[in-house]
């Protein structure tokens, strides 16, 4: 059991009064999570007491800031169980990590007519990055279809591979449906064809442990702000043998060894991919966020969030006209709650109440959810809808908040 009351005290924003409603019910965690004091205070402390540019300075503060920054990289390495810290590249977030791979991998290994395999549930960041490469190089995008329930059609994966397939890029967890994709199986199939796989872990890292060596993915991307860390920082993990073979992403300071007007030599990993001053304060914040999650423990976090998701699915299903997208089964064959296909995200639509109206009215009742296409327009098209209302949970949410959501939806339904 999570010590929820204690945990909530770490997040002062959860005590805010919005309109005349108290306390705020924040169910927009898939978009961004709130930050605990431990993260904000560590960052403030670094700005107040340490701040200096990293890597280039001989003076005390610069060395201290560098040590903190590199210690954060080691914390990320441990969090993902990467083999070495040189496989951990700091980026601005999942989007930048995916763009980096699409751009650099595309430049090095793809030519006109070569193919990337995506899925129908991808976030725009894992679609448009490849489309930019498509425009530059004439590559082709192939798509793994899903079932009506939003599950990846594993039976269709094998047939998408051919001699032109160069890479697979797939989300770990759908940000719309919460479905946990069978990335292990996809990686196994891809590797049997000698094809590397990028996993978009934006929605998995906050909810369950990821071991990149065990997964055997070739690249893995995630965002700090979705796992209780600061905005503006994220991670690209890449197997050393791949990162070594990719050209740099951006040019500038930090990523070079020597520069002349005739020739530049590039820095070692991971610095080759980190042009310019990194956000070394945000890396500290990210490390403290990962420490925070680790100190609570994923066993407890998963148990709590799965309980909340199962509870929310069953309570929301009581509402007349409620349509929940994605798999809705909560009880497995053993009679126990089974949300193995679904993480802490629930997308729904109530009767013919427009999702935007629902979201706006929920907001007036003090409940923050997200509405719209959730940066997944192709998935919306597949589901035959324009958008949904999405409630997404974090470790600080409670059953009482689910009850508040339910009561608010019932009230809104009466208004219509
Ligand atoms: N991929 C998925 C599955 C996401 O949910 C998101 C954000 O919602 C992203 C990628 C992009 O993340 P960011 O905006 O932090 O780069």
């Amino acid at each position: 059991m999570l010590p929820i009351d204690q945990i909530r005290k770490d997040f002062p924003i959860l005590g805010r009064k919005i309109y005349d409603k108290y306390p705020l019910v924040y169910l927009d965690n898939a978009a961004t999570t709130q930050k605990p004091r431990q993260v904000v205070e560590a960052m403030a402390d670094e700005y107040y007491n340490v701040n200096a540019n990293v890597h280039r300075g001989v003076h005390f503060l610069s060395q201290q800031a560098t040590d903190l920054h590199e210690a954060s990289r080691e914390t990320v390495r441990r969090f993902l169980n990467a083999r070495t810290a040189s496989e951990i590249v700091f980026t601005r977030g999942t989007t930048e990590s995916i763009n980096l791979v699409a751009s650099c991998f595309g430049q090095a290994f793809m030519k006109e007519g070569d193919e990337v395999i995506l899925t129908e549930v991808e976030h725009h960041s894992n679609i448009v990055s490849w489309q930019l490469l498509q425009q530059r190089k004439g590559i082709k995008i192939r798509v793994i279809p899903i079932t009506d329930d939003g599950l990846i059609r594993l039976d269709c994966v094998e047939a998408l591979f051919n001699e032109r397939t160069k890479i697979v890029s797939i989300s770990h967890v759908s940000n719309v449906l919460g479905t946990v994709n069978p990335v292990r199986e996809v990686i196994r199939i891809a590797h049997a064809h000698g094809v590397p796989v990028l996993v978009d872990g934006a929605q998995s890292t906050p909810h369950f442990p990821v071991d990149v060596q065990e997964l055997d993915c070739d690249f893995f991307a995630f965002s700090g702000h979705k796992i209780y860390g600061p905005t503006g920082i994220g991670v690209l993990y890449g197997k050393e043998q791949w990162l070594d073979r990719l050209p740099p992403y951006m040019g500038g300071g930090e990523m070079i060894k020597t520069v002349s007007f005739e020739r530049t030599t590039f820095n070692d990993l991971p610095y080759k991919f980190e042009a310019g001053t990194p956000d070394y304060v945000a890396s500290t914040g990210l490390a403290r966020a990962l420490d925070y999650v680790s100190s609570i423990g994923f066993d407890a976090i998963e148990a709590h969030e799965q309980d909340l998701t199962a509870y929310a699915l069953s309570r929301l299903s009581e509402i007349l006209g409620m349509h929940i997208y994605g798999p809705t089964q909560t009880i497995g064959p053993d009679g126990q709650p089974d949300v193995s296909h679904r993480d802490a995200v629930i997308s729904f639509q109530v009767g013919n109440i427009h999702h935007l109206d629902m979201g706006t009215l929920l907001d007036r009742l003090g409940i923050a959810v997200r509405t719209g296409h959730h940066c997944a327009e192709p998935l919306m098209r597949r589901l035959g809808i324009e958008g949904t209302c999405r409630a997404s949970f974090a470790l600080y949410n409670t059953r009482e908040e689910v009850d508040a959501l339910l009561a608010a939806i019932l009230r809104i339904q009466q208004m219509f």
Side-chain angles (χ1 to χ4, degrees), residues 30 93-95 123 125 173 175 200 202-203 223 225-226:
T94 308
T95 302
H123 186 278
S125 58
V173 172
N175 65 310
D200 167 356
Q203 298 293 345
S223 298
H225 70 99
K226 292 190 195 281

Side-chain angles (χ1 to χ4, degrees), residues 50-241:
V50 183
N51 184 50
N53 207 336
V54 291
H55 294 143
R56 290 180 285 247
V58 291
H59 62 84
F60 185 89
L61 288 185
S62 173
Q63 290 184 14
Q64 200 178 5
T66 303
D67 289 348
L68 276 174
H69 186 58
E70 292 307 321
S72 301
R73 198 187 304 276
E74 172 57 22
T75 303
V76 175
R77 184 206 66 73
R78 230 179 307 119
F79 183 76
L80 292 179
N81 192 32
R83 210 174 49 77
T84 90
S86 59
E87 295 181 320
I88 303 298
V89 178
F90 284 123
T91 63
R92 284 193 303 120
T94 308
T95 302
E96 188 172 84
S97 299
I98 297 173
N99 273 273
L100 190 161
V101 175
S103 174
C104 301
F105 186 93
Q107 187 183 327
F109 296 110
M110 295 180 86
K111 49 186 187 305
E112 190 176 349
D114 284 345
E115 298 180 0
V116 55
I117 296 178
L118 311 177
T119 81
E120 244 176 336
V121 298
E122 297 312 312
H123 186 278
H124 292 165
S125 58
N126 197 25
I127 300 173
V128 184
S129 323
W130 299 102
Q131 284 172 338
L132 293 178
L133 185 64
Q134 187 173 44
Q135 284 167 13
R136 275 207 310 277
K137 284 208 143 180
I139 65 150
K140 282 196 188 142
I141 294 173
R142 310 201 77 190
V143 183
I144 305 173
I146 55 168
T147 65
D148 291 344
D149 258 359
L151 301 175
I152 298 290
R153 294 263 320 261
L154 263 181
D155 57 318
C156 297
V157 175
E158 180 68 47
L160 291 173
F161 283 85
N162 60 51
E163 68 286 353
R164 304 304 304 263
T165 312
K166 292 292 185 280
I167 189 165
V168 175
S169 193
I170 173 175
S171 53
H172 207 168
V173 172
S174 158
N175 65 310
V176 177
L177 304 172
T179 38
V180 182
N181 293 324
V183 289
R184 242 186 220 89
E185 288 83 345
V186 173
I187 290 169
R188 194 183 44 72
I189 297 169
H191 284 179
H193 289 270
V195 171
V197 180
L198 162 63
V199 176
D200 167 356
Q203 298 293 345
S204 60
T205 37
H207 303 296
F208 54 81
V210 171
D211 180 330
V212 289
Q213 291 192 71
E214 198 235 330
L215 261 188
D216 200 23
C217 55
D218 301 276
F219 301 99
F220 188 92
F222 75 95
S223 298
H225 70 99
K226 292 190 195 281
I227 181 165
Y228 314 103
T231 50
I233 188 142
V235 169
L236 172 67
Y237 156 82
K239 282 184 183 163
E240 201 170 70
Q241 68 260 36

Side-chain angles (χ1 to χ4, degrees), residues 353-398:
I353 305 174
H354 195 275
H355 52 89
L356 202 56
D357 292 335
M358 176 62 82
T360 308
L361 291 166
L362 282 173
D363 172 59
R364 300 305 297 197
L365 296 171
I367 297 174
V369 295
R370 190 144 292 245
T371 60
H373 55 60
H374 314 296
C375 292
E377 284 190 33
L379 174 59
M380 294 297 122
R381 225 159 279 131
R382 166 66 177 81
L383 298 173
I385 53 179
E386 269 175 35
T388 74
C389 225
R390 181 185 74 183
S392 51
F393 308 112
L395 55 83
Y396 40 66
N397 289 122
T398 63

